[in-house]
Structures are given as C-alpha cells and as structure tokens.
Amino acid sequence: MEAEPPRRRPGSGPAGWWRRRSLRFRLTATASAVLALALAASAYVFVGVLGRALAGTIDDEVYQRAREVVALADAGRLGDRIVTTDNTIVQVLDASGRIVNATPGTDRLVPLLGADRRERALRSGRPVFLDGRPYGIPGPLRARVLSADAGRTVIAARSFTEVQGSLTATGHVLIVGTPLLLVLLAAASWLVIGRTLRPIALLRRGAAEISGTARARRLPVPESRDEVHSLATTLNDMLARLEAADARQRALISDASHELRSPLASIRLQLEVALSHPEGQDWRETAEGVLEDTMRLSRLAEDLLALARLDEGRTARREPVDLAALAERAVERHGVTGDIAPGVTVDGDALDLGRVLTNLVANAVRHAASTVVVALRAEPPGAGSPLPGSGTARGRGTAGVAGAGVAVLTVTDDGPGIPAEDRERVFDRFTRLDSARSRDEGGAGLGLAIVRDTVRAHGGTVHLEDAAPGLRAVVRLPLAAPETSR
Ligand SMILES: Nc1ncnc2c1ncn2[C@@H]1O[C@H](COP(=O)(O)OP(=O)(O)OP(=O)(O)O)[C@@H](O)[C@H]1O
Ligand SMILES: [Mg+2]
C-alpha cells in the first residue's frame, strides 16, 4: 500500500494567511496593488514622454541655429563673431578642423566635439550629448553638427540642464504624489468596500439572532436594490416557508394529540368506573366500550401513518390496479348503488386506492339521506378536461400515462352537501364541519386529506361538487397505458 502523501494543512503558508484576512482587507489590498501598478506605470510613461518632448524642443532650436549659421556661412556673410539671440553656442570649423568662427565666450581653440565624434554625428544626422563643464557650462549639452560649403563644419550646442531640471522636479512631484494618491485611493476603497459589506454583516448578525424556537424573525433587508438586497429577500422568503412548514407541523402535532386525548380519556374513565365498582359490573359492556375507543385510536394512528407516508412522497407500489373491481368491492361492502364500467385500470397502489374509495363512500354513507351511487367510467384522451394536477404530481411521471385517457370515479350522495365556500377547506387535515356529530360517528377529519394526497401522488385530481341535492366527489386518475394493463 502506498503511503498517503502528506496533506497540506489548509490555511498554512501565505495563501492561507491571505484567505484568513477579511473580505474587506482582501478587496482593498487587491484594488490598491492594481492601482499602485497602474500609477507607477503611468508615472514612468509620463516622465518618458515629457523628457522626449522637452529634448525635442531643444534639439529643434539647436538645429535651427545650426541651419542659420550654415546658411550665413554658405552665403559668405559670416562675420568673425556669431551673434545668437538665445544662449546657443556655435563653432564653425574649417576643413582642417580649426575654429574659424564662434559665438562670444565660446572656446576658440578646442572644438566642442573631436574629429571622430563630429564625423559620426554628421553621418547619423542626429543630436548628441556632450559634457559642458570644460566650456564653463554646468551639466550636459545637446549638440548638432552640420556641414557647410568649403568643407566647413558647424557645431551648435545648448545646455540641457533646464530639461533635466524640469524632469527632476516632475520626478520629485510624482515620487511624493503617487504614493499619496495611492494612500488616498486605498482609504477611499476601504471606506466604500466597508460600506458595501455592512449589510452583509447586518445579515449575519440577524441570522445569528434567529434561534430555533423563535422562528418568527426576518433578516434586515438593505434599502439599496443590489445583490445583498435580493439575497436578504430570498433568505426571508425561505424563512417564511420554513416558518409555515414549522407551523403546519406544530398544528398537526397539536391536532393529533387533541384527537388522541378523547378516546384515551374515555377508555380511562370506563376502566376506572368499572374497577371502582366491580360488583354488578357488566364487563362485557365495558370491554365493548373500550374496544370501540381502541378502534378509533388505531384508525387515527393508521390515518396519521398514511399521511406521513404520503408526505414523504413514497408510495408502496406502482402496478396496474383494476379500479372497477375495487369499486365493485366497495359497493358490496357498504351496500350502495354501483354504476361501474368494467375493466377500468389505473397504475398505482391497490391498498392506497382502496382507501380512497373507502373514505369517500364512508363519508357519503354517513351523510346520505337515502342513496349513495358509486360510478366509474373511462374517458378517452382529449375528452373532458385534462388533469390539471398531473404536472405537479409528486414523484410520478404522468406524461404519456395521461395520454391513455382518464378514469373518472364519482361518489354521489343525497345528503345535506357542503357549502361551496367549504368544499376546498374540508380537504385540510383535521377539518370537520359537523364537529359535534362527528365526535361519535365521524373520524378525526383526515379522510379527505388522505384522499387528496393519495390521488395527487397517483397523478390525478379530486374535487367536490354540488349534486343538488347532496354532494358528489369526483376523482380523475390517469388510465394505465394499454400495454401495462394487459
Ligand atoms: N358526503 C358528505 N356530505 C356532507 N358533508 C361531508 C361529506 N363528506 C365529508 N363531509 C364533511 O367534510 C368533513 C371532512 O371529511 P373527512 O372525510 O375529511 O373527515 P371525517 O369524515 O369527518 O373524518 P374521517 O374521514 O377522518 O373519519 C366532514 O367532517 C364533514 O363535515
Ligand atoms: Mg371521512
């Protein structure tokens, strides 16, 4: 076995140090580093361009002076002394290299440039630098060499010190000013980034204050319409959803406990009474009473279990189920009227679908005045309305199945019916309209909730409608595809 390579501890080294810095620090440092580079580069380019421009001006003037002297020399109007208006110095050399003319105060014995350099400058036609100190001029000189008639050479030169001075002054300003500017910009970035990040800090603090129990809290939403704003809104929406789910869960627990309490209290009371007066007690009657309450308890437990299973989104099986046979069985068991087309088959779980039928028929029987009719038919594809809920069916692909048509199951009674405004509400868990009566006859109010959840899990829909008189429950389920129903 190969030894595992030593894993680098995260957070060690400079990269780790960097990652441990605050976001504010890292953003400011990165921005400042980029700025420093940009400022340094632009200062360098600026000094270069300025130097070249100033040198160009000097070179132009020197060249101009030299041209004038050449013109005079060629015209033979060159006096002994050359007069220039600016402080350009000029020497005119004859063919043998002797100085024949010069500006006043200029050395008349030694040429500004030796023969070699003169030669090279002439050939290149470019200005050259030379040291001014031997000629009593501090700093370097910029010189230009031109040739005139009769083998004469004209050398014109001018001090470069001014340009150097300007460049040095500019350099000083930049050396002091650039870091100062950088510090100012870094401070501004630090402040702006800090201000930008403040809502995030507030969000974090708000989130830290939300405890598990007091969920009714919201994160602070900044006024600006930026990314932090949408983050806060999204998180608040999520909190609201969690809160609603939490509230539903609490309500379910409290409702369930409430429902458990009365049969338990009843059992306890019956047993206590029987035990305190054992003589002359009809134990058979007591046992029957206790059994009845126990059955209520076990039905409640089963219903809660069925709902929990549906909530988890897992259904036991998915196989072709003969809905017609299931309906026939329910009709027989409850002794109601049937109007059932044979061979209507859907895909799903027979136990779950049987519970749907039982719950609907039990409700109808309980409320009917005289008759209950269970009807089942198959609608071909395209007939009637499609399955509006099929697209949102949990955990089941209904596309293709719905294309095979729809099974329509109705349970109709001639009882009091349900007012239109309550026909949706009764599908909620633990919702009973006739609560006083249901204490004895009805259940906990879970029947229709289980029906809706089961039908939805099968990719179908269920609704209640007026049967005038009475109520009709309509269940629509996608028919099984023909090849699977065979
Ligand atoms: N066929 C009907 N006619 C009139 N009212 C009905 C009918 N079916 C249901 N209801 C009303 O809707 C309520 C909810 O029905 P649901 O089946 O969910 O609960 P339940 O029958 O009271 O209890 P459970 O089904 O859990 O034993 C009932 O309490 C009743 O008031
Ligand atoms: Mg019921």
Side-chain angles (χ1 to χ4, degrees):
M1 267 246 146
E2 225 172 284
E4 205 176 309
R7 205 178 296 157
R8 255 188 65 140
R9 201 157 49 82
S12 61
W17 175 87
W18 175 251
R19 260 179 272 125
R20 280 196 303 276
R21 295 307 102 191
S22 71
L23 188 57
R24 186 186 196 182
F25 178 86
R26 280 186 284 159
L27 284 174
T28 310
T30 309
S32 306
V34 172
L35 261 174
L37 275 178
L39 285 175
S42 42
Y44 180 80
V45 169
F46 176 69
V47 170
V49 168
L50 182 70
R52 207 157 309 145
L54 290 174
T57 316
I58 297 249
D59 289 343
D60 281 353
E61 281 173 13
V62 170
Y63 177 69
Q64 221 48 53
R65 235 20 93 234
R67 293 272 323 160
E68 283 164 23
V69 174
V70 167
L72 286 175
D74 288 353
R77 292 198 284 117
L78 206 57
D80 181 37
R81 299 206 151 217
I82 304 165
V83 184
T84 50
T85 45
D86 53 17
N87 39 23
T88 309
I89 56 176
V90 182
Q91 287 179 332
V92 181
L93 281 68
D94 64 10
S96 62
R98 229 166 30 86
I99 299 170
V100 288
N101 298 81
T103 39
T106 309
D107 200 322
R108 298 186 70 97
L109 293 174
V110 186
L112 290 162
L113 289 166
D116 289 0
R117 290 197 68 192
R118 283 204 305 272
E119 195 55 38
R120 261 184 280 137
L122 257 180
R123 243 183 293 126
S124 71
R126 292 233 294 268
V128 291
F129 273 114
L130 61 107
D131 190 2
R133 274 169 301 177
Y135 314 100
I137 301 163
L141 296 175
R142 195 76 171 152
R144 186 74 191 253
V145 184
L146 294 179
S147 56
D149 283 355
R152 283 176 296 183
T153 311
V154 174
I155 307 173
R158 204 174 151 181
S159 168
F160 202 67
T161 324
E162 290 165 41
V163 172
Q164 269 194 330
S166 308
L167 287 182
T168 313
T170 311
H172 284 160
V173 168
L174 287 176
I175 283 175
V176 177
T178 309
L180 214 69
L181 186 65
L182 186 65
V183 168
L184 271 177
L185 287 173
S189 316
W190 177 260
L191 290 179
V192 170
I193 293 170
R195 179 161 297 189
T196 314
L197 291 179
R198 195 173 307 145
I200 294 185
L202 289 178
L203 269 188
R204 195 202 60 75
R205 205 174 309 150
E209 281 170 8
I210 295 179
S211 64
T213 47
R215 268 267 186 75
R217 286 286 189 85
R218 290 293 178 272
L219 297 173
V221 179
E223 275 170 25
S224 56
R225 304 265 150 191
D226 54 9
E227 290 84 348
V228 183
H229 176 94
S230 41
L231 174 69
T233 333
T234 312
L235 287 178
N236 276 341
D237 289 348
M238 183 190 77
L239 283 176
R241 285 196 301 276
L242 288 177
E243 208 173 284
D246 194 40
R248 270 200 307 277
Q249 211 60 36
R250 284 166 201 271
L252 187 72
I253 290 175
S254 109
D255 286 338
S257 322
H258 201 74
E259 287 299 327
L260 286 171
R261 213 161 47 174
S262 51
L264 282 174
S266 158
I267 291 173
R268 184 178 160 183
L269 187 72
Q270 292 176 68
L271 293 178
E272 276 174 356
V273 168
L275 285 175
S276 59
H277 305 287
E279 67 292 342
Q281 178 65 37
D282 184 350
W283 286 101
R284 190 179 169 81
E285 196 186 317
T286 310
E288 276 169 4
V290 170
L291 180 63
E292 194 182 306
D293 283 328
T294 313
M295 274 168 54
R296 262 176 83 185
L297 280 178
S298 86
R299 258 200 62 200
L300 183 62
E302 260 166 42
D303 284 354
L304 285 172
L305 213 60
L307 278 173
R309 213 173 51 127
L310 286 163
D311 274 349
E312 278 175 29
R314 69 183 153 92
T315 34
R317 256 162 293 165
R318 180 143 176 82
E319 58 194 8
V321 177
D322 188 349
L323 198 58
L326 276 184
E328 290 286 6
R329 221 172 301 149
V331 164
E332 269 170 42
R333 182 145 22 99
H334 291 90
V336 297
T337 316
D339 174 14
I340 294 155
V344 177
T345 311
V346 298
D347 276 331
D349 186 297
L351 269 179
D352 285 352
L353 292 171
R355 195 181 292 119
V356 167
L357 266 160
T358 309
N359 287 358
L360 291 178
V361 176
N363 280 355
V365 167
R366 189 185 308 146
H367 294 93
S370 56
T371 39
V372 171
V373 181
V374 176
L376 177 66
R377 66 175 196 278
E379 264 180 15
S385 58
L387 293 166
S390 57
T392 55
R394 276 175 282 148
R396 283 167 189 263
T398 54
V401 179
V406 180
V408 183
L409 170 76
T410 59
V411 180
T412 314
D413 66 70
D414 55 356
I418 297 180
E421 64 269 21
D422 290 328
R423 281 185 208 143
E424 266 303 305
R425 197 165 69 83
V426 287
F427 284 104
D428 291 345
R429 296 171 183 189
F430 294 108
T431 307
R432 284 182 305 227
L433 298 180
D434 45 0
S435 51
R437 211 167 70 115
S438 62
R439 280 285 131 76
D440 306 320
E441 292 188 34
L446 293 175
L448 288 178
I450 292 173
V451 167
R452 174 157 280 179
D453 283 2
T454 309
V455 170
R456 280 192 178 157
H458 282 76
T461 61
V462 56
H463 70 272
L464 301 176
E465 58 189 35
D466 196 0
L471 189 77
R472 179 177 300 124
V474 184
V475 175
R476 303 169 66 82
L477 286 167
L479 282 176
E483 58 271 16
T484 54
S485 64
R486 218 168 283 142

Short mmCIF file of all heavy atoms in Angstrom, two decimals, residues 145-200:
data_model
loop_
_atom_site.label_atom_id
_atom_site.label_comp_id
_atom_site.label_asym_id
_atom_site.label_seq_id
_atom_site.Cartn_x
_atom_site.Cartn_y
_atom_site.Cartn_z
N VAL A 145 25.65 68.76 -35.36
CA VAL A 145 26.74 69.05 -36.28
C VAL A 145 26.18 69.07 -37.70
O VAL A 145 25.49 68.14 -38.10
CB VAL A 145 27.85 67.97 -36.17
CG1 VAL A 145 29.04 68.33 -37.07
CG2 VAL A 145 28.31 67.82 -34.73
N LEU A 146 26.46 70.15 -38.45
CA LEU A 146 26.05 70.22 -39.85
C LEU A 146 27.27 70.60 -40.68
O LEU A 146 28.19 71.24 -40.18
CB LEU A 146 24.95 71.28 -40.04
CG LEU A 146 23.58 71.03 -39.39
CD1 LEU A 146 22.65 72.20 -39.68
CD2 LEU A 146 22.97 69.74 -39.89
N SER A 147 27.26 70.22 -41.93
CA SER A 147 28.40 70.62 -42.76
C SER A 147 27.99 71.79 -43.66
O SER A 147 26.82 71.89 -44.04
CB SER A 147 28.88 69.44 -43.60
OG SER A 147 27.80 68.94 -44.37
N ALA A 148 28.96 72.64 -43.92
CA ALA A 148 28.70 73.80 -44.80
C ALA A 148 29.67 73.73 -45.98
O ALA A 148 30.48 72.79 -46.06
CB ALA A 148 28.89 75.08 -44.00
N ASP A 149 29.57 74.75 -46.87
CA ASP A 149 30.44 74.76 -48.06
C ASP A 149 31.91 74.81 -47.67
O ASP A 149 32.24 75.13 -46.53
CB ASP A 149 30.13 76.00 -48.91
CG ASP A 149 28.84 75.79 -49.69
OD1 ASP A 149 28.29 74.65 -49.62
OD2 ASP A 149 28.36 76.76 -50.32
N ALA A 150 32.74 74.48 -48.58
CA ALA A 150 34.20 74.55 -48.43
C ALA A 150 34.69 73.69 -47.27
O ALA A 150 35.62 74.06 -46.55
CB ALA A 150 34.64 76.01 -48.22
N GLY A 151 34.04 72.55 -47.08
CA GLY A 151 34.49 71.59 -46.06
C GLY A 151 34.34 72.07 -44.65
O GLY A 151 34.89 71.49 -43.72
N ARG A 152 33.58 73.13 -44.48
CA ARG A 152 33.42 73.66 -43.11
C ARG A 152 32.37 72.85 -42.35
O ARG A 152 31.52 72.18 -42.93
CB ARG A 152 33.02 75.13 -43.16
CG ARG A 152 34.20 76.03 -43.49
CD ARG A 152 33.79 77.46 -43.62
NE ARG A 152 32.88 77.63 -44.75
CZ ARG A 152 32.42 78.83 -45.10
NH1 ARG A 152 32.74 79.91 -44.42
NH2 ARG A 152 31.63 78.94 -46.14
N THR A 153 32.51 72.92 -41.04
CA THR A 153 31.59 72.20 -40.18
C THR A 153 31.03 73.18 -39.15
O THR A 153 31.77 73.99 -38.61
CB THR A 153 32.31 71.07 -39.44
OG1 THR A 153 33.06 70.33 -40.38
CG2 THR A 153 31.32 70.16 -38.71
N VAL A 154 29.73 73.09 -38.92
CA VAL A 154 29.10 73.96 -37.92
C VAL A 154 28.66 73.09 -36.74
O VAL A 154 27.99 72.07 -36.93
CB VAL A 154 27.89 74.70 -38.51
CG1 VAL A 154 27.17 75.49 -37.41
CG2 VAL A 154 28.33 75.61 -39.63
N ILE A 155 29.10 73.48 -35.54
CA ILE A 155 28.64 72.77 -34.34
C ILE A 155 27.81 73.75 -33.52
O ILE A 155 28.30 74.83 -33.18
CB ILE A 155 29.81 72.27 -33.46
CG1 ILE A 155 30.79 71.45 -34.29
CG2 ILE A 155 29.28 71.45 -32.28
CD1 ILE A 155 32.04 71.08 -33.52
N ALA A 156 26.55 73.39 -33.27
CA ALA A 156 25.71 74.21 -32.39
C ALA A 156 25.36 73.37 -31.17
O ALA A 156 25.10 72.19 -31.29
CB ALA A 156 24.45 74.65 -33.12
N ALA A 157 25.38 74.02 -29.99
CA ALA A 157 25.09 73.26 -28.76
C ALA A 157 24.33 74.13 -27.79
O ALA A 157 24.44 75.35 -27.82
CB ALA A 157 26.39 72.76 -28.15
N ARG A 158 23.56 73.45 -26.95
CA ARG A 158 22.79 74.21 -25.97
C ARG A 158 22.66 73.39 -24.70
O ARG A 158 22.60 72.16 -24.73
CB ARG A 158 21.40 74.46 -26.54
CG ARG A 158 20.81 75.67 -25.89
CD ARG A 158 19.52 76.01 -26.54
NE ARG A 158 18.71 76.66 -25.54
CZ ARG A 158 17.50 77.09 -25.76
NH1 ARG A 158 16.95 76.90 -26.93
NH2 ARG A 158 16.85 77.69 -24.81
N SER A 159 22.60 74.14 -23.60
CA SER A 159 22.55 73.44 -22.30
C SER A 159 21.28 72.60 -22.18
O SER A 159 20.19 73.01 -22.59
CB SER A 159 22.60 74.47 -21.18
OG SER A 159 22.28 73.82 -19.96
N PHE A 160 21.47 71.41 -21.61
CA PHE A 160 20.33 70.50 -21.41
C PHE A 160 19.84 70.56 -19.96
O PHE A 160 18.95 69.84 -19.56
CB PHE A 160 20.80 69.08 -21.78
CG PHE A 160 19.67 68.15 -22.14
CD1 PHE A 160 18.93 68.36 -23.29
CD2 PHE A 160 19.35 67.07 -21.34
CE1 PHE A 160 17.91 67.51 -23.63
CE2 PHE A 160 18.32 66.22 -21.66
CZ PHE A 160 17.60 66.44 -22.82
N THR A 161 20.45 71.42 -19.17
CA THR A 161 20.19 71.45 -17.73
C THR A 161 18.74 71.77 -17.39
O THR A 161 18.17 71.19 -16.49
CB THR A 161 21.11 72.49 -17.05
OG1 THR A 161 22.35 72.46 -17.71
CG2 THR A 161 21.30 72.18 -15.59
N GLU A 162 18.16 72.70 -18.19
CA GLU A 162 16.77 73.08 -17.90
C GLU A 162 15.85 71.86 -17.99
O GLU A 162 15.02 71.62 -17.12
CB GLU A 162 16.26 74.10 -18.91
CG GLU A 162 16.89 75.46 -18.80
CD GLU A 162 16.58 76.27 -20.07
OE1 GLU A 162 15.44 76.19 -20.56
OE2 GLU A 162 17.51 76.94 -20.56
N VAL A 163 16.07 71.12 -19.09
CA VAL A 163 15.23 69.94 -19.29
C VAL A 163 15.42 68.98 -18.13
O VAL A 163 14.45 68.48 -17.55
CB VAL A 163 15.58 69.26 -20.63
CG1 VAL A 163 14.85 67.94 -20.75
CG2 VAL A 163 15.24 70.17 -21.77
N GLN A 164 16.68 68.80 -17.77
CA GLN A 164 16.95 67.88 -16.65
C GLN A 164 16.29 68.36 -15.38
O GLN A 164 15.70 67.59 -14.63
CB GLN A 164 18.46 67.78 -16.44
CG GLN A 164 19.05 66.65 -17.24
CD GLN A 164 20.45 66.33 -16.77
OE1 GLN A 164 21.17 67.21 -16.30
NE2 GLN A 164 20.83 65.08 -16.92
N GLY A 165 16.35 69.69 -15.20
CA GLY A 165 15.72 70.26 -14.01
C GLY A 165 14.23 70.01 -14.00
O GLY A 165 13.66 69.57 -12.99
N SER A 166 13.61 70.24 -15.15
CA SER A 166 12.16 70.03 -15.21
C SER A 166 11.82 68.57 -14.91
O SER A 166 10.88 68.28 -14.15
CB SER A 166 11.63 70.36 -16.60
OG SER A 166 12.04 71.62 -16.98
N LEU A 167 12.63 67.68 -15.53
CA LEU A 167 12.33 66.26 -15.33
C LEU A 167 12.52 65.86 -13.87
O LEU A 167 11.72 65.12 -13.31
CB LEU A 167 13.22 65.40 -16.23
CG LEU A 167 12.84 65.43 -17.71
CD1 LEU A 167 13.76 64.52 -18.50
CD2 LEU A 167 11.39 65.00 -17.91
N THR A 168 13.57 66.39 -13.25
CA THR A 168 13.83 66.06 -11.84
C THR A 168 12.69 66.56 -10.97
O THR A 168 12.19 65.84 -10.09
CB THR A 168 15.15 66.70 -11.38
OG1 THR A 168 16.14 66.45 -12.36
CG2 THR A 168 15.60 66.13 -10.05
N ALA A 169 12.25 67.82 -11.26
CA ALA A 169 11.15 68.37 -10.46
C ALA A 169 9.90 67.51 -10.62
O ALA A 169 9.23 67.16 -9.64
CB ALA A 169 10.87 69.80 -10.90
N THR A 170 9.61 67.15 -11.89
CA THR A 170 8.44 66.31 -12.14
C THR A 170 8.56 64.99 -11.40
O THR A 170 7.60 64.51 -10.77
CB THR A 170 8.29 66.04 -13.65
OG1 THR A 170 8.40 67.28 -14.33
CG2 THR A 170 6.96 65.39 -13.96
N GLY A 171 9.77 64.42 -11.47
CA GLY A 171 10.01 63.14 -10.79
C GLY A 171 9.74 63.26 -9.30
O GLY A 171 9.07 62.41 -8.71
N HIS A 172 10.22 64.35 -8.71
CA HIS A 172 10.00 64.55 -7.27
C HIS A 172 8.51 64.62 -6.96
O HIS A 172 8.03 63.98 -6.02
CB HIS A 172 10.70 65.83 -6.80
CG HIS A 172 12.18 65.66 -6.68
ND1 HIS A 172 13.07 66.70 -6.66
CD2 HIS A 172 12.93 64.52 -6.57
CE1 HIS A 172 14.29 66.24 -6.56
NE2 HIS A 172 14.23 64.91 -6.50
N VAL A 173 7.80 65.40 -7.77
CA VAL A 173 6.36 65.53 -7.55
C VAL A 173 5.70 64.15 -7.62
O VAL A 173 4.86 63.78 -6.77
CB VAL A 173 5.74 66.48 -8.60
CG1 VAL A 173 4.22 66.39 -8.55
CG2 VAL A 173 6.19 67.91 -8.34
N LEU A 174 6.11 63.39 -8.62
CA LEU A 174 5.48 62.07 -8.79
C LEU A 174 5.84 61.13 -7.65
O LEU A 174 5.00 60.39 -7.15
CB LEU A 174 5.91 61.45 -10.13
CG LEU A 174 5.25 62.11 -11.36
CD1 LEU A 174 5.80 61.50 -12.63
CD2 LEU A 174 3.75 61.96 -11.31
N ILE A 175 7.11 61.18 -7.22
CA ILE A 175 7.55 60.26 -6.16
C ILE A 175 6.79 60.54 -4.87
O ILE A 175 6.43 59.64 -4.12
CB ILE A 175 9.08 60.37 -5.96
CG1 ILE A 175 9.77 59.61 -7.09
CG2 ILE A 175 9.50 59.81 -4.60
CD1 ILE A 175 11.26 59.73 -7.08
N VAL A 176 6.53 61.81 -4.61
CA VAL A 176 5.77 62.15 -3.41
C VAL A 176 4.27 61.98 -3.66
O VAL A 176 3.54 61.43 -2.84
CB VAL A 176 6.08 63.60 -2.95
CG1 VAL A 176 5.24 63.96 -1.75
CG2 VAL A 176 7.56 63.72 -2.64
N GLY A 177 3.82 62.43 -4.82
CA GLY A 177 2.38 62.48 -5.10
C GLY A 177 1.75 61.14 -5.34
O GLY A 177 0.63 60.88 -4.87
N THR A 178 2.46 60.24 -6.07
CA THR A 178 1.84 58.96 -6.40
C THR A 178 1.50 58.14 -5.16
O THR A 178 0.37 57.70 -5.01
CB THR A 178 2.76 58.17 -7.35
OG1 THR A 178 3.12 59.02 -8.43
CG2 THR A 178 2.07 56.94 -7.89
N PRO A 179 2.46 57.95 -4.23
CA PRO A 179 2.09 57.19 -3.02
C PRO A 179 0.98 57.88 -2.24
O PRO A 179 0.09 57.22 -1.70
CB PRO A 179 3.38 57.16 -2.20
CG PRO A 179 4.45 57.43 -3.16
CD PRO A 179 3.87 58.32 -4.21
N LEU A 180 1.00 59.23 -2.24
CA LEU A 180 -0.04 59.95 -1.53
C LEU A 180 -1.40 59.67 -2.15
O LEU A 180 -2.38 59.37 -1.45
CB LEU A 180 0.26 61.45 -1.60
CG LEU A 180 -0.14 62.25 -0.37
CD1 LEU A 180 0.74 61.89 0.80
CD2 LEU A 180 -0.06 63.74 -0.68
N LEU A 181 -1.44 59.73 -3.47
CA LEU A 181 -2.67 59.44 -4.21
C LEU A 181 -3.12 58.01 -3.92
O LEU A 181 -4.31 57.73 -3.70
CB LEU A 181 -2.42 59.63 -5.70
CG LEU A 181 -3.63 59.51 -6.61
CD1 LEU A 181 -4.62 60.60 -6.31
CD2 LEU A 181 -3.19 59.59 -8.08
N LEU A 182 -2.12 57.10 -3.92
CA LEU A 182 -2.42 55.69 -3.68
C LEU A 182 -3.05 55.52 -2.29
O LEU A 182 -4.05 54.81 -2.14
CB LEU A 182 -1.15 54.87 -3.80
CG LEU A 182 -1.33 53.37 -3.71
CD1 LEU A 182 -2.15 52.88 -4.88
CD2 LEU A 182 0.01 52.67 -3.67
N VAL A 183 -2.45 56.19 -1.30
CA VAL A 183 -2.97 56.07 0.06
C VAL A 183 -4.40 56.60 0.13
O VAL A 183 -5.29 55.98 0.71
CB VAL A 183 -2.06 56.84 1.06
CG1 VAL A 183 -2.74 56.99 2.41
CG2 VAL A 183 -0.73 56.11 1.21
N LEU A 184 -4.63 57.74 -0.55
CA LEU A 184 -5.97 58.32 -0.58
C LEU A 184 -6.97 57.35 -1.21
O LEU A 184 -8.05 57.10 -0.67
CB LEU A 184 -5.96 59.61 -1.38
CG LEU A 184 -5.66 60.88 -0.59
CD1 LEU A 184 -5.60 62.08 -1.51
CD2 LEU A 184 -6.75 61.08 0.47
N LEU A 185 -6.58 56.78 -2.37
CA LEU A 185 -7.48 55.86 -3.07
C LEU A 185 -7.73 54.61 -2.24
O LEU A 185 -8.86 54.10 -2.18
CB LEU A 185 -6.89 55.49 -4.43
CG LEU A 185 -6.95 56.62 -5.47
CD1 LEU A 185 -6.21 56.23 -6.73
CD2 LEU A 185 -8.40 56.95 -5.82
N ALA A 186 -6.66 54.10 -1.59
CA ALA A 186 -6.83 52.89 -0.76
C ALA A 186 -7.79 53.17 0.39
O ALA A 186 -8.67 52.37 0.70
CB ALA A 186 -5.47 52.44 -0.23
N ALA A 187 -7.63 54.37 0.99
CA ALA A 187 -8.52 54.73 2.10
C ALA A 187 -9.96 54.83 1.60
O ALA A 187 -10.90 54.32 2.25
CB ALA A 187 -8.08 56.05 2.72
N ALA A 188 -10.13 55.43 0.41
CA ALA A 188 -11.48 55.55 -0.15
C ALA A 188 -12.05 54.16 -0.42
O ALA A 188 -13.22 53.88 -0.10
CB ALA A 188 -11.43 56.37 -1.43
N SER A 189 -11.22 53.25 -1.00
CA SER A 189 -11.70 51.89 -1.27
C SER A 189 -12.11 51.21 0.03
O SER A 189 -13.15 50.55 0.11
CB SER A 189 -10.62 51.02 -1.93
OG SER A 189 -9.97 51.71 -2.92
N TRP A 190 -11.25 51.37 1.05
CA TRP A 190 -11.53 50.74 2.35
C TRP A 190 -12.89 51.18 2.86
O TRP A 190 -13.70 50.37 3.31
CB TRP A 190 -10.40 51.11 3.32
CG TRP A 190 -10.56 50.61 4.71
CD1 TRP A 190 -11.00 51.31 5.79
CD2 TRP A 190 -10.27 49.29 5.17
NE1 TRP A 190 -11.01 50.51 6.89
CE2 TRP A 190 -10.56 49.26 6.55
CE3 TRP A 190 -9.79 48.13 4.56
CZ2 TRP A 190 -10.40 48.13 7.32
CZ3 TRP A 190 -9.62 47.00 5.32
CH2 TRP A 190 -9.93 47.00 6.68
N LEU A 191 -13.15 52.50 2.75
CA LEU A 191 -14.43 53.03 3.25
C LEU A 191 -15.60 52.52 2.41
O LEU A 191 -16.61 52.05 2.94
CB LEU A 191 -14.41 54.56 3.23
CG LEU A 191 -13.49 55.20 4.27
CD1 LEU A 191 -13.53 56.71 4.14
CD2 LEU A 191 -13.91 54.78 5.68
N VAL A 192 -15.44 52.61 1.07
CA VAL A 192 -16.56 52.22 0.19
C VAL A 192 -16.85 50.73 0.33
O VAL A 192 -18.02 50.32 0.47
CB VAL A 192 -16.21 52.56 -1.28
CG1 VAL A 192 -17.23 51.94 -2.22
CG2 VAL A 192 -16.18 54.06 -1.47
N ILE A 193 -15.78 49.92 0.36
CA ILE A 193 -15.99 48.46 0.49
C ILE A 193 -16.62 48.15 1.84
O ILE A 193 -17.53 47.33 1.95
CB ILE A 193 -14.66 47.71 0.28
CG1 ILE A 193 -14.20 47.87 -1.16
CG2 ILE A 193 -14.81 46.24 0.62
CD1 ILE A 193 -12.80 47.38 -1.42
N GLY A 194 -16.15 48.85 2.86
CA GLY A 194 -16.73 48.64 4.20
C GLY A 194 -18.21 48.95 4.20
O GLY A 194 -19.02 48.19 4.73
N ARG A 195 -18.56 50.06 3.53
CA ARG A 195 -19.97 50.45 3.49
C ARG A 195 -20.78 49.42 2.70
O ARG A 195 -21.90 49.08 3.07
CB ARG A 195 -20.08 51.82 2.84
CG ARG A 195 -21.50 52.30 2.73
CD ARG A 195 -21.56 53.77 2.54
NE ARG A 195 -21.00 54.48 3.69
CZ ARG A 195 -21.08 55.78 3.86
NH1 ARG A 195 -21.69 56.50 2.98
NH2 ARG A 195 -20.55 56.34 4.93
N THR A 196 -20.19 48.91 1.60
CA THR A 196 -20.89 47.92 0.78
C THR A 196 -21.11 46.63 1.55
O THR A 196 -22.14 45.96 1.40
CB THR A 196 -20.05 47.62 -0.49
OG1 THR A 196 -19.63 48.84 -1.04
CG2 THR A 196 -20.87 46.85 -1.51
N LEU A 197 -20.12 46.28 2.38
CA LEU A 197 -20.20 44.99 3.07
C LEU A 197 -21.02 45.08 4.36
O LEU A 197 -21.36 44.06 4.94
CB LEU A 197 -18.80 44.47 3.40
CG LEU A 197 -17.98 44.05 2.18
CD1 LEU A 197 -16.61 43.57 2.61
CD2 LEU A 197 -18.68 42.95 1.41
N ARG A 198 -21.35 46.30 4.78
CA ARG A 198 -22.05 46.42 6.06
C ARG A 198 -23.38 45.67 6.09
O ARG A 198 -23.67 44.97 7.06
CB ARG A 198 -22.24 47.89 6.42
CG ARG A 198 -22.62 48.07 7.88
CD ARG A 198 -22.64 49.52 8.30
NE ARG A 198 -21.40 50.20 7.97
CZ ARG A 198 -21.34 51.48 7.59
NH1 ARG A 198 -22.43 52.19 7.51
NH2 ARG A 198 -20.19 52.03 7.30
N PRO A 199 -24.19 45.76 5.00
CA PRO A 199 -25.45 44.99 5.02
C PRO A 199 -25.22 43.50 5.20
O PRO A 199 -26.04 42.80 5.81
CB PRO A 199 -26.06 45.28 3.64
CG PRO A 199 -25.42 46.52 3.18
CD PRO A 199 -24.06 46.57 3.79
N ILE A 200 -24.09 42.99 4.69
CA ILE A 200 -23.81 41.56 4.86
C ILE A 200 -23.55 41.26 6.33
O ILE A 200 -24.01 40.26 6.87
CB ILE A 200 -22.62 41.14 3.97
CG1 ILE A 200 -23.03 41.28 2.51
CG2 ILE A 200 -22.18 39.72 4.28
CD1 ILE A 200 -22.03 40.79 1.52
#
